[in-house]
Amino acid sequence: MSDTAPSAAPSPLDAFAERYVKLVLAVGQHDDSYVDAYYGPPAWAEEAKASRLSLEELASRAAALERELQALPAPSDAFVALRHRYLVHQTGSVSAWVRLRRGEKLRFDEESEALYNARAPVHTDAHFEQLQAELDRLLPGPGPLMERIERFRREFIIRKEKLDIVFRTAIDEARRRTLAHIPLPEGEGFSLEFVTNKTWGGYNWYQGNAKSLIQINTDLPIFISRAIDLAAHEGYPGHHVYNVLLEQHLLRERGWVEFSVYALYSPQSFIAEGSANYGIDVAFPDAPKYLREVLFPLAGLDPQRADLYVKVEELSKKLAYAENEATRGYLDGRLTREQARDWLARYRLMSPERAERFIANADAIRSYVINYNLGRDMVAAFIERQGGTDAAPERRWQLFRELLSSPRLPGDLR
């Protein structure tokens, strides 16, 4: 692949797309985490660094670009119309992020709507208590349920000397399964690193030209199911594949320069995180069997315990919306930091250490948390409504590939 997009038939949107890319790069000068990836013209990045526009100027430029995009007539071509809406909503999220950086206060739901074009449902305490009752029946015994789950999970920690072989095996299998359904360009691939002192569990740093750096944080013990989760989420068919397909089909083939930059706090992340989480189910519909027959023996764990472990993890994942409620309460000022941490321990069944790490991350990513759970559920519903179900795996892969190769955003999933 070349480092620049090929010439393509000019579009009225091209000039707006260039302004959008330069706007995102300029905002990135005020927040190191904002530009998650960039592989466009180096001169544009240098220009953003040299000029370092003020937040006031960026607010003005973002608002003007959004107005001008909204005023354009809707393209007659359905796929180009998706591009138009993508630019409108992505620019709107840039505008919202700049307003937040300038000190504007938004409640959790208002912020998620402004940044991610989505608003998470509210779940009551009773919803989580019902799920916990099911877990309580699976793991009876003395002591609080959170402590029983923590004791149970300790049986399934991957020893540090086994991490590399277990993760590489899972990633290789995820890649093999993905390539059977999604063609990827020759030479695509990733580097894998184990790191410490991070607030996240795993991260994909997409570097352009179909290459990624995948990092796994080993600060806390890593449970065996995370090997499948991270292999699919960060790699195949998750973040790595999503970025490769956008670069290949939209940037390189169509010359749509807006796909040379990834603004992290934007609607694109809703699709990225949601599809990456749903991609776990797409790639590993047989996860219990694969864990029991391959990863458990490889990690030196007892395969006879695999089925119960999977049932506990599947139920625990349904508690994920508790993370939204804790973050909503914390950011809206209804919960102190300590209360939010205790709420996570009570309803998400997190250990105090994991809950503290989660709240530390919430300070940084704020309403981004909805992208993981609501994003996953909306992507799943979008694909399953069109026939991509467990009973039709080929159709599911087809729809998943089409989603990853398109400029669709949350509003297009409804």
Side-chain angles (χ1 to χ4, degrees):
M1 286 184 180
S2 64
D3 290 329
T4 57
S7 59
S11 163
L13 289 172
D14 291 345
F16 293 97
E18 180 175 331
R19 287 168 60 188
Y20 164 75
V21 174
K22 291 180 175 180
L23 180 66
V24 170
L25 294 173
V27 173
Q29 303 307 307
H30 295 268
D31 183 341
D32 291 340
S33 66
Y34 190 77
V35 179
D36 196 66
Y38 178 64
Y39 36 92
W44 293 2
E46 291 301 320
E47 176 187 335
K49 185 176 181 181
S51 58
R52 191 171 171 80
L53 299 174
S54 68
L55 288 173
E56 291 75 14
E57 176 62 23
L58 290 171
S60 175
R61 293 191 182 193
L65 180 57
E66 186 179 9
R67 283 195 305 272
E68 293 174 45
L69 281 164
Q70 289 174 332
L72 291 175
S76 58
D77 181 283
F79 200 73
V80 178
L82 288 177
R83 181 194 188 191
H84 180 213
R85 289 199 296 274
Y86 176 91
L87 284 168
V88 169
H89 285 290
Q90 288 290 119
T91 302
S93 77
V94 176
S95 182
W97 184 253
V98 172
R99 296 199 311 273
L100 289 167
R101 294 289 295 187
R102 294 182 71 191
E104 183 175 328
K105 302 297 183 185
L106 293 177
R107 298 182 69 80
F108 178 87
D109 290 330
E110 296 169 335
E111 179 183 301
S112 72
E113 187 72 54
L115 293 179
Y116 308 115
N117 187 217
R119 185 178 294 231
V122 174
H123 290 83
T124 65
D125 296 1
H127 169 77
F128 302 114
E129 289 167 355
Q130 182 178 357
L131 293 171
Q132 289 180 355
E134 295 180 54
L135 279 165
D136 190 62
R137 287 191 289 271
L138 275 178
L139 294 176
L145 179 58
M146 185 267 288
E147 293 180 7
R148 276 181 274 151
I149 284 183
E150 282 298 306
R151 285 197 302 270
F152 175 76
R153 282 177 171 156
R154 285 185 202 130
E155 295 181 45
F156 308 100
I157 292 171
I158 308 172
R159 298 195 304 273
K160 288 205 171 182
E161 68 271 19
K162 296 282 190 178
L163 282 173
D164 189 73
I165 184 63
V166 169
F167 269 92
R168 290 189 187 278
T169 298
I171 291 172
D172 286 347
E173 180 63 14
R175 182 175 187 270
R176 185 189 68 78
R177 295 179 178 206
T178 298
L179 287 174
H181 302 277
I182 301 179
L184 295 177
E186 185 178 352
E188 66 79 24
F190 68 93
S191 300
L192 178 65
E193 292 181 354
F194 293 95
V195 297
T196 56
N197 298 317
K198 306 295 181 184
T199 57
W200 37 258
Y203 211 102
N204 178 300
W205 304 97
Y206 190 66
Q207 299 173 327
N209 287 316
K211 299 292 186 183
S212 290
L213 168 64
I214 296 176
Q215 293 183 324
I216 308 298
N217 182 21
T218 61
D219 284 342
L220 294 177
I222 298 176
F223 304 114
I224 188 66
S225 64
R226 293 290 284 161
I228 284 181
D229 291 354
L230 290 174
H233 182 103
E234 306 296 345
Y236 305 87
H239 290 327
H240 174 68
V241 173
Y242 178 54
N243 284 302
V244 168
L245 293 179
L246 291 181
E247 181 184 14
Q248 178 186 14
H249 295 302
L250 302 186
L251 175 63
R252 306 300 178 188
E253 294 175 4
R254 290 178 176 263
W256 291 1
V257 295
E258 62 269 34
F259 292 97
S260 66
V261 71
Y262 180 0
L264 184 63
Y265 304 109
S266 74
Q268 185 180 356
S269 280
F270 189 92
I271 300 296
E273 301 295 1
S275 62
N277 269 355
Y278 184 59
I280 300 167
D281 300 319
V282 175
F284 288 96
D286 60 339
K289 181 175 185 289
Y290 184 73
L291 281 166
R292 182 177 60 252
E293 295 182 359
V294 179
L295 295 189
F296 265 64
L298 195 61
L301 303 177
D302 181 3
Q304 294 185 3
R305 301 283 283 164
D307 289 344
L308 176 60
Y309 171 73
V310 168
K311 289 178 183 177
V312 170
E313 288 303 297
E314 286 177 348
L315 267 176
S316 296
K317 283 181 180 180
K318 293 181 180 180
L319 295 171
Y321 277 95
E323 297 169 8
N324 296 2
E325 301 305 334
T327 309
R328 181 187 277 120
Y330 176 54
L331 295 182
D332 287 353
R334 291 183 287 104
L335 298 176
T336 65
R337 185 187 184 93
E338 292 73 23
Q339 288 171 331
R341 182 196 61 208
D342 293 345
W343 202 94
L344 285 167
R346 170 69 182 86
Y347 291 104
R348 184 63 175 100
L349 301 177
M350 285 185 181
S351 68
E353 187 176 15
R354 290 183 186 275
E356 183 61 41
R357 186 174 293 272
F358 179 90
I359 293 300
N361 200 35
D363 280 324
I365 69 172
R366 301 178 58 84
S367 61
Y368 192 96
V369 65
I370 75 163
N371 297 334
Y372 297 104
N373 43 58
L374 181 62
R376 184 262 172 213
D377 289 348
M378 284 183 61
V379 167
F382 173 74
I383 288 176
E384 290 167 10
R385 278 197 308 270
Q386 300 175 78
T389 63
D390 287 342
E394 289 297 331
R395 175 67 173 159
R396 180 159 63 179
W397 274 107
Q398 175 197 345
L399 292 165
F400 193 70
R401 180 178 70 248
E402 291 172 359
L403 174 63
L404 298 188
S405 305
S406 75
R408 283 181 177 82
L409 289 177
D412 301 312
L413 303 182
R414 298 187 182 105

